[in-house]
Amino acid sequence: MTASAYIGLGANLGEAAATVQRAAAELAAVPGVSDLQLSSLYGTAPVDSSGPDYVNAVARLDTTLPPLALLAALQAIEQRHGRERPYRNAPRTLDLDLLLYGDQTIALPELTVPHPRMHERAFVLRPLMDLAPGLVLAQGGLADLLEQCADQAVRRLD
Ligand SMILES: Nc1ncnc2c1ncn2[C@@H]1O[C@H](COP(=O)(O)OP(=O)(O)OP(=O)(O)O)[C@@H](O)[C@H]1O
Ligand SMILES: Nc1nc2c(c(=O)[nH]1)N=C(CO)CN2
């Protein structure tokens, strides 16, 4: 069975734009992942977090991997980029979040889908608009949700 999934990519340490692009290429090469499309890259002010601005993007892909296997693949890519977790929302070389997996709702200790904070994050919603402008989340359509977080600075980089 093939599912369509959306992944949030973020980095705010080191060569952040290059890291996001490399991570997308690594994700596209994971066995069981195909047809990856990457949104534009965005420079975004940290939300509930500190340090330099982030570079954020969203990828859409098709996958035959079940959700937990896809999460494990994301975490393996994070690890390869030297991800450390000294404290919650700490600056990071690379963060990969599983935003949506088909239309599934998942509530496991290690995986919540849809990602519980995506609807209030302009750094997710704006790149998601590039790939799926008509998408409607449980909380509303992307354009309406983006309006509700208009105070979060997001600028297109490419
Ligand atoms: N949808 C999801 N995508 C990625 N990780 C998830 C998801 N739901 C739960 N998790 C769990 O969250 C844990 C912590 O993730 P992480 O440190 O990346 O959080 P964070 O990026 O700091 O915060 P946020 O989740 O708000 O983006 C992971 O070990 C993972 O098991
Ligand atoms: N702009 C921005 N802010 C954040 C981000 C992020 O990717 N971009 N990720 C966070 C935790 O995952 C917390 N805050």
Side-chain angles (χ1 to χ4, degrees):
M1 208 196 68
T2 301
S4 175
Y6 289 87
I7 311 299
L9 302 91
N12 79 335
L13 291 177
E15 295 292 322
T19 300
V20 165
Q21 266 156 344
R22 217 168 293 137
E26 290 173 32
L27 187 52
V30 169
V33 168
S34 59
D35 290 332
L36 183 142
Q37 297 162 267
L38 188 64
S39 71
S40 287
L41 269 49
Y42 292 86
T44 68
V47 174
D48 297 332
S49 172
S50 60
D53 278 6
Y54 279 77
V55 173
N56 283 109
V58 168
R60 195 210 65 80
L61 53 82
D62 289 329
T63 188
T64 54
L65 297 175
L68 284 177
L70 182 57
L71 178 66
L74 300 180
Q75 291 175 342
I77 294 171
E78 285 181 346
Q79 293 305 323
R80 280 211 294 282
H81 286 268
R83 169 81 190 267
E84 288 175 5
R85 291 191 170 90
Y87 53 89
R88 186 160 177 274
N89 285 354
R92 66 277 312 274
T93 45
L94 180 64
D95 182 35
L96 299 175
D97 288 333
L98 179 49
L99 302 172
L100 298 168
Y101 185 97
D103 57 6
Q104 286 194 31
T105 300
I106 303 166
L108 296 170
E110 67 274 44
L111 181 62
T112 306
V113 173
H115 190 286
R117 289 166 287 285
M118 64 180 286
H119 64 282
E120 57 190 26
R121 292 175 159 179
F123 66 80
V124 171
L125 299 171
R126 183 61 195 84
L128 199 49
M129 277 274 262
D130 289 343
L131 301 172
L135 191 71
V136 179
L137 303 179
Q139 295 84 2
L142 293 188
D144 286 343
L145 293 172
L146 252 178
E147 254 177 51
Q148 290 166 31
C149 43
D151 55 319
Q152 297 173 27
V154 172
R155 71 199 157 86
R156 195 183 197 121
L157 296 178
D158 52 358

